[in-house]
């Protein structure tokens, strides 16, 4: 009981926000309105802000990485070059030299998704007025879906632009016997249409799940602490859980960005060579 | 992160202002059975700002940063290739130099051998000519000596003959007290010499 009493001033600042619902972190709050028309609300929200923070972070990092490019790179320059080579190899391995033109797009996609995931993991600092509420744009399905549509849209536009009707060969793989085509073609079409959905849902679900788990564990810590006595001490267990999941989320943040980028590369390979 | 530091203040106050008012809102959304992610009212704004952010990032990357990084990497690769080229060039030069050195050494050896041969030939020649000279000189000397000997021996014979003549004349004078003629003496002496031979 005495523990609980001691914690009271802390509770106001920390425990109460922790106890908030696990979905509240995904809430979108307008910062300033931008109603062009009654029908469309383009308000600048916390999601918009974090997208711009992502761009700002990338700008800052690459400015430092290329500020004084040297033949023998410094540490930041090395990081920039390692990132560059990483994505460049990904593009080269999947598409070969033909894919060079897609490199800036894939690179932007990778950096954007990775930084959105990564910056969303920064801890929120609760309590007004100096609070920092981190937000993960990629935890919203509409964002990941838009990115997926960008990727698949590029595949379709480039494929049709380059091959015309030949792009439809994508749905009739070469080497398949004629009598199998009525069966194969619908399957290919469905698999093609499910690409943006699977791209979008994979990233969104990973981000959502990670943040929900962190929040739920945090809720446990709050509940156990306020329960007092032995239970307060047991709150260490979910705290350790948070640390574990948090570290895992760093891996997931990178891995999902990587998966998104490499799947985009593989789909773009289809645009280059529709007939498998 | 100057921008990021200022921005959360903004966001924080927005959240703080929004939080109490939003409770009803959020409850409303949740009451509709939706995650915030399924609130379609936010979609237009999200897509709009996402496209703007993505476009800015794309332009930054494709126009500024990727060419820069790629340029440095390319430059480094070029430099390394150049250095390798240079190294192989130096190696080739070193091999050339070694070949030249070997060639020069072989030439020098050959020349040395030919000079030695020439010298030897020349010396042989000289020795031969000197020997010939010496032989000729010796022969001349021998011939002169022989001539001298012959002369001396002729003189000696003459002297002996003169002595014999004088002796003969003296003997004849003594024996028969008559002056023999020179011719008679010579004939007698010749006959004596002839009979002795």
């Amino acid at each position: 009981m005495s523990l609980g009493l001691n914690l009271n001033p802390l509770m106001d600042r920390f425990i109460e926000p922790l106890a908030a619902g696990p979905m509240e972190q995904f809430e979108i709050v307008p910062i300033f309105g931008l109603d062009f028309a009654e029908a469309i609300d383009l308000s600048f929200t916390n999601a918009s802000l974090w997208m711009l923070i992502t761009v700002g972070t990338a700008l800052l990092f690459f400015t430092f990485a290329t500020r004084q490019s040297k033949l023998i790179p410094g540490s930041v320059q090395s990081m920039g070059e390692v990132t560059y080579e990483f994505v460049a190899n990904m593009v080269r391995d999947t598409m070969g030299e033909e894919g060079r033109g897609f490199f800036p797009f894939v690179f932007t996609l990778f950096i954007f998704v990775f930084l959105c995931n990564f910056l969303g993991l920064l801890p929120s600092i609760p309590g007004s007025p100096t609070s920092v509420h981190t937000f993960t744009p990629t935890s919203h399905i509409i964002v990941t879906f838009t990115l997926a549509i960008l990727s698949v849209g590029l595949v379709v536009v480039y494929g049709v632009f380059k091959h015309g009707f030949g792009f439809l060969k994508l749905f009739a793989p070469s080497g398949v016997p004629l009598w199998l085509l009525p069966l194969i073609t619908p399957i290919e079409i469905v698999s093609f249409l499910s690409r943006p959905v699977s791209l979008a849902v994979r990233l969104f679900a990973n981000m959502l799940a990670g943040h929900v788990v962190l929040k739920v564990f945090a809720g446990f810590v709050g509940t156990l602490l306020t329960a007092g006595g032995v239970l307060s001490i047991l709150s260490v267990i979910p705290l350790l859980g948070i640390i574990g999941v948090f570290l895992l989320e760093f891996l997931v943040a990178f891995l999902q960005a990587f998966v998104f980028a490499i799947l985009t590369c593989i789909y773009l390979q289809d645009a280059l060579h529709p007939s498998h | 992160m100057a921008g990021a530091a200022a921005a959360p203040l903004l966001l924080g106050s927005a959240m703080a202002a929004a939080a109490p008012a939003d409770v009803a809102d959020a409850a409303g959304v949740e009451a509709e059975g939706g995650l915030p992610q399924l609130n379609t009212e936010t979609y237009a704004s999200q897509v709009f700002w996402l496209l703007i952010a993505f476009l800015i990032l794309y332009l930054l990357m494709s126009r500024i940063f990727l060419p820069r990084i790629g340029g440095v990497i390319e430059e480094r690769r070029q430099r390394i290739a150049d250095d390798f080229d240079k190294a192989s060039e130096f190696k080739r030069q070193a091999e050339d130099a070694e070949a030249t050195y070997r060639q020069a050494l072989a030439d020098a050896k050959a020349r040395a051998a030919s000079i030695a041969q020439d010298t030897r030939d020349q010396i042989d020649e000289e020795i031969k000519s000197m020997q010939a000279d010496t032989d000729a000189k010796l022969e001349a000397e021998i011939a002169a000596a022989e001539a001298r000997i012959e002369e001396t021996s002729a003189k000696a014979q003459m002297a002996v003959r003169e002595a014999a003549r004088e002796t003969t004349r003296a003997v004849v004078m003594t024996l028969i007290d008559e002056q023999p003629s020179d011719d008679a003496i010579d004939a007698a002496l010749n006959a004596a010499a002839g009979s002795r031979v």
Side-chain angles (χ1 to χ4, degrees), chain B residues 32-110:
Chain B
E32 283 167 28
L35 297 156
Q37 281 87 341
L38 298 180
N39 180 4
T40 49
E41 282 171 23
T42 67
Y43 281 12
S45 151
Q46 296 226 55
V47 171
F48 176 72
W49 288 103
L50 170 65
L51 291 180
I52 286 181
F54 194 85
L55 186 69
I56 294 173
L57 189 63
Y58 179 79
L59 290 178
L60 282 175
M61 288 303 154
S62 63
R63 292 288 151 85
I64 303 173
F65 293 119
L66 292 182
R68 272 198 210 168
I69 300 177
V72 172
I73 292 174
E74 189 50 42
E75 192 189 328
R76 185 177 306 130
R77 195 171 296 153
Q78 204 68 48
R79 174 75 175 274
I80 290 170
D82 277 2
D83 283 357
F84 269 114
D85 281 358
K86 245 182 241 164
S88 63
E89 172 67 19
F90 283 145
K91 194 177 171 224
R92 210 181 52 72
Q93 279 178 10
E95 280 167 0
D96 278 3
E98 203 197 336
T100 315
Y101 162 75
R102 279 182 196 285
Q103 186 61 42
L105 193 66
D107 283 358
K109 269 184 186 163

Side-chain angles (χ1 to χ4, degrees), chain A residues 13 124-133, chain B residues 5 8-13 16:
Chain A
R13 284 188 67 98
S124 289
I125 300 169
S128 58
T130 54
S131 62
V132 178
H133 289 269
Chain B
L9 277 175
L10 227 183
L11 177 58
S13 50

Side-chain angles (χ1 to χ4, degrees), chain A residues 116-216:
Chain A
C116 278
N117 297 350
F118 187 77
L119 293 176
L121 283 174
L122 294 176
S124 289
I125 300 169
S128 58
T130 54
S131 62
V132 178
H133 289 269
T134 50
F135 182 87
T136 316
T138 42
S139 66
H140 273 253
I141 181 87
I142 183 65
V143 171
T144 59
F145 191 70
T146 307
L147 290 173
I149 287 293
L150 275 181
S151 290
V152 178
L154 184 65
V155 170
V156 173
V157 169
Y158 183 81
V160 170
F161 177 74
K162 194 177 176 211
H163 302 285
F165 280 112
F167 185 60
L168 292 178
K169 272 189 235 159
L170 184 62
F171 304 117
S174 57
V176 172
L178 210 61
W179 59 270
L180 259 179
L181 278 184
L183 189 66
I184 293 289
T185 304
I187 292 176
E188 288 284 337
I189 290 174
V190 168
S191 90
F192 186 82
L193 291 179
S194 65
R195 281 174 181 182
V197 179
S198 74
L199 265 182
V201 169
R202 183 183 301 110
L203 177 57
F204 150 72
N206 267 283
M207 289 303 113
L208 178 76
H211 284 275
V212 167
V213 167
L214 282 175
K215 194 73 183 181
V216 167

Side-chain angles (χ1 to χ4, degrees), chain A:
Chain A
M1 271 298 131
S2 59
L3 253 174
L5 272 173
N6 285 344
L7 284 169
N8 267 342
L10 276 176
M11 264 174 55
D12 291 341
R13 284 188 67 98
F14 292 104
I15 310 301
E16 204 171 27
L18 287 181
M23 290 306 161
E24 221 168 77
Q25 57 182 324
F26 304 116
E27 231 30 271
I28 286 177
V29 184
I31 292 174
F32 55 84
L34 200 69
D35 280 314
F36 283 123
E38 287 294 305
I40 307 171
D41 177 15
L42 298 180
S43 300
F44 188 82
T45 63
N46 53 340
S48 323
L49 177 69
W50 279 92
M51 290 171 193
L52 293 189
I53 288 175
T54 293
V55 174
T57 308
L59 175 63
L60 214 64
F61 172 71
F62 282 104
T63 303
F64 271 105
T66 60
R67 196 180 38 176
Q68 31 170 239
S69 294
K70 279 177 286 187
L71 222 49
I72 298 156
S75 54
V76 184
Q77 194 188 336
S78 283
M79 278 167 71
E81 287 181 8
V82 165
T83 316
Y84 180 98
E85 291 282 12
F86 177 71
V87 180
N89 284 338
M90 192 197 297
V91 171
R92 204 176 300 125
D93 291 346
T94 48
M95 289 183 268
E97 283 303 312
E98 290 169 284
R100 283 194 76 83
F102 294 120
F103 173 59
F105 175 75
V106 176
F107 191 84
T108 309
L109 203 58
F110 175 74
I111 291 294
F112 188 78
V113 172
F114 174 69
L115 283 180
C116 278
N117 297 350
F118 187 77
L119 293 176
L121 283 174
L122 294 176
S124 289
I125 300 169
S128 58
T130 54
S131 62
V132 178
H133 289 269
T134 50
F135 182 87
T136 316
T138 42
S139 66
H140 273 253
I141 181 87
I142 183 65
V143 171
T144 59
F145 191 70
T146 307
L147 290 173
I149 287 293
L150 275 181
S151 290
V152 178
L154 184 65
V155 170
V156 173
V157 169
Y158 183 81
V160 170
F161 177 74
K162 194 177 176 211
H163 302 285
F165 280 112
F167 185 60
L168 292 178
K169 272 189 235 159
L170 184 62
F171 304 117
S174 57
V176 172
L178 210 61
W179 59 270
L180 259 179
L181 278 184
L183 189 66
I184 293 289
T185 304
I187 292 176
E188 288 284 337
I189 290 174
V190 168
S191 90
F192 186 82
L193 291 179
S194 65
R195 281 174 181 182
V197 179
S198 74
L199 265 182
V201 169
R202 183 183 301 110
L203 177 57
F204 150 72
N206 267 283
M207 289 303 113
L208 178 76
H211 284 275
V212 167
V213 167
L214 282 175
K215 194 73 183 181
V216 167
F217 276 21
F220 286 164
V221 175
T223 314
L224 287 172
L225 265 181
T226 47
V230 182
L231 288 177
S232 297
I233 297 162
L234 283 183
S235 67
V236 171
I237 296 167
L239 190 66
L240 291 176
I242 290 180
I243 295 170
V245 174
F246 189 63
L247 293 177
L248 186 70
E249 282 303 301
F250 278 108
L251 180 68
V252 171
F254 166 75
L255 214 59
Q256 287 307 315
F258 172 66
V259 166
F260 204 102
I262 200 153
L263 283 177
T264 298
C265 286
I266 292 169
Y267 297 159
L268 283 170
Q269 164 71 6
D270 280 348
L272 289 168
H273 304 288
S275 50
H276 290 254

Side-chain angles (χ1 to χ4, degrees), chain B residues 104-121:
Chain B
L105 193 66
D107 283 358
K109 269 184 186 163
R111 259 188 54 208
S114 97
I115 287 173
Q117 187 60 43
D118 282 359
T119 313
R120 206 176 295 129
D121 288 353

